[in-house]
Amino acid sequence: MYRQFEELLDRLRHNNPAVDEATLRRAYEFCMKAHGSQLRASGDPYYTHPLAVAQILADFKLDQSTVITGLLHDTVEDTLATLEDIEKQFGKDIANLVDGVTKLSQLELQSEHTKQAENLRKLVLAMSSDIRVLLVKLADRLHNMRTLHHVSSPEKRKRTARETIEIYAPLAERMGMQHLKDELEDIAFGIMNPDARESVQSRLSFLYENADYTVEAIIDDIQRVLKDANIENALVNGRQKTPYSIWKKMQHKRVAFEQLSDIMAFRIVVHTVPEVYHALGAVHNAYLVLPGRFKDYISTPKPNGYQSLHTGLIGPFNSRIEVQIRTEEMHQIAEYGIASHWEYKQGISHDGRQYAWLRGLLDILDQAPNPEEFLENTKLEMFQDQVFCFTPKGDLIQLPSGATPIDFAYAVHSQIGNHITAAKINGRLMPLRTVLNNGDQVEVITSKTQRPSPTWERFVVTGKARSHIRRYIRQLKREQFSELGRSMLVKAFKHAHLDLTEKLLRPAIEQLKQGALEDLYASIGEGTLSTHEVIQAVYPYDKPERLEPKLKKQKASDSASSGGVSIQGLIDGMALRYAGCCHPLPGDRISGIVKTGKGITIHTANCEVLKAFSDPNRVLELSWGKAADDQQKFVGRLKATFLNMTGSLSSFSTAIAKQGGNISNIKVTNRTPDFWDIIIDVEVKDAEHLNLVLASIRTLHITNSVERV
């Protein structure tokens, strides 16, 4: 093992001559000591795994901190070592990286119970505040896949292979690490579908054994074409596409093996961008071009930063090939993806700031308009400014930035959203309008009696939440309008001493162009149809002398004896609204103004606005019903003058609280050295409750005057 560690040092020295060998040795020794006598499934000492991961990271040409993280990445999860130990010996940067890899490993364990592997991909992308965490995790997965054949359980091998092909291979492609992606996919493919892989591999072998050409011969001919075009020192190489890539394309395009035109891909690497297009012209001039196979990823790079020209040709010896043309720098990005930027975009440093652009790259990836362009066989969606939260069971919920617990509840299930009453965020009870952050655990508290509030629509951000709230509100409004309209019509017929039956209303439904009886009731409740119009439609000819006086506005005494139309069960903001001028409370005599399309606005019977209203036919006498809901709060408005003394406002609010009132708003209308004048809104159960609050305030020695507005 010590020889392998020396090989690791050699690789790091090659990438960075200033490598800190002493720190690396300490990390290696820490790893060996922490894992002790632990063994892998192969029977090898466990520390051979983190050493192999570190070697993979060194091959990616990553910085020293990342390589050390590779050595230490399993110590916190699998040994007695702590993050404090790592931070003390290797610094905060490496401790944070190890912590990030540990969290991803814990999430990986949860993913076995998660129905959609998509969630983990998005979570990993969102939670990687430092992209090196993901690079370590990918290297870890690569070595685990290389040694997966040592795992005895076939079910576990297949589960790991499926997770790799669904999650880690797409992540590798996201970051432009094509070789890593290809190897992960090919190993996983061989485990998940060994027969299909063997079939594709056999066809490839047969193809090359019976071909009239060799890969080397094609490379020689392409080099000849480039030399004739005066393109010097171009590097040409060829590679066979992996069995999984070929099989996937056969499935995706539904074609046979023989119909594929890009089983072989040849790469031309030149020095400059003009030479790239010069080389393209040379090969297009020398060989037949396959229609529809040219793609320019230089002028329009892929979302993961990949740049190259792709073209399909009938090449040397009538071979169907794909040719990729790029510069040396483009080739480094294509080979190493995000990892390449440590060498080509940034200097080697240890403050972490050089990785900020990588987080920006993830944002670019998340904004990509066409994920199929670089992810053919998965449904990895693109997100911008997402937050990822958890249910108490560990299930992942993805939401847009600015989402609230209500958005979260609707994302879980529409009925949970409809009945949410409260939410705990990370164990603490928080307001429903609280904005969620990445990694929050959200527990939704529901009640069968809870209904969506029209105010929710003001702060929810997801389309699902907004559409469900609007749909529920529309449905509930219709029910409320229908119930209100039915009560209004019953009361109107009773006042006119007329009988009311559904049979009598049928001609009126058709005449007034209402679809059904419920539509008729709802139109009355909403104010688009008056009870007067309905009665005249039911009795169009007879008894006119009876109708006219009875349809006039009833006197308050008559209304009081009949009780008025009950508003019990109707919800504020739907079929009715409480007027802000007089703030009616249960126990007050009330009337309503029917407003077209808006239902009823409720006023106290002595409200000046009500008295000044010019259309008596739109004024409706109302009653509160049998009993007010104890849970429902109403707003009573008070006007008070009290002494301007230290603690006066505190005494004032304490007197209200002692009676169970709750201040919802305070407005200071005047303040002098001697007195405060305020208008205060208090949440109470009814008028009697407000009177108790008034009495409590009047007992204060600081109170000059207080009265209900």
Side-chain angles (χ1 to χ4, degrees), residues 13 47 104 110 144 160 240 248 285 302-303 348 399 414 426 455 458 468 547-548 550 628 662 673 707:
R13 291 191 199 102
Y47 60 79
L104 290 185
Q110 289 185 8
N144 282 334
T160 303
Q240 168 191 301
K248 184 171 63 174
N285 186 53
K302 287 189 177 185
I348 301 298
L399 297 164
S414 59
N426 300 322
T455 60
R458 300 174 192 168
H468 276 285
L547 296 180
E548 199 59 38
K550 296 299 181 182
N662 183 45
E707 61 183 0

Side-chain angles (χ1 to χ4, degrees), residues 354-496:
Q354 71 270 32
Y355 309 120
W357 75 273
L358 294 173
R359 293 190 287 276
L361 180 58
L362 285 177
D363 289 338
I364 294 172
L365 287 171
D366 288 345
Q367 296 177 54
N370 184 13
E372 295 299 325
E373 188 64 35
F374 65 96
L375 197 59
E376 296 179 0
N377 200 40
T378 63
K379 298 177 181 178
L380 189 60
E381 297 175 28
M382 299 299 155
F383 288 89
Q384 181 184 14
D385 295 327
Q386 295 286 306
V387 293
F388 298 84
C389 302
F390 296 93
T391 67
K393 293 183 179 180
D395 295 328
L396 177 68
I397 303 297
Q398 59 192 27
L399 297 164
S401 178
T404 66
I406 294 177
D407 295 294
F408 181 94
Y410 276 104
V412 174
H413 195 280
S414 59
Q415 287 304 309
I416 293 177
N418 286 339
H419 297 293
I420 180 174
T421 57
K424 289 183 179 180
I425 302 175
N426 300 322
R428 293 181 58 197
L429 199 63
M430 300 293 285
L432 291 180
R433 61 170 60 243
T434 303
V435 174
L436 300 175
N437 296 311
N438 247 355
D440 281 346
Q441 184 191 75
V442 184
E443 180 183 353
V444 177
I445 301 169
T446 61
S447 169
K448 291 181 180 180
T449 60
Q450 176 66 22
R451 296 167 177 171
S453 166
T455 60
W456 290 0
E457 194 180 339
R458 300 174 192 168
F459 54 82
V460 296
V461 298
T462 59
K464 181 177 181 180
R466 186 173 285 109
S467 64
H468 276 285
I469 292 169
R470 287 176 177 173
R471 186 182 302 114
Y472 195 95
I473 295 301
R474 282 196 301 269
Q475 178 184 348
L476 201 56
K477 270 187 176 180
R478 178 175 172 77
E479 293 174 2
Q480 298 271 295
F481 280 137
S482 179
E483 179 62 26
L484 178 61
R486 188 191 64 80
S487 298
M488 291 168 62
L489 195 59
V490 168
K491 185 66 65 175
F493 268 73
K494 186 176 181 181
H495 285 175

Side-chain angles (χ1 to χ4, degrees), residues 491 494-495 557-564:
K491 185 66 65 175
K494 186 176 181 181
H495 285 175
S557 59
D558 295 336
S559 177
S561 63
S562 62

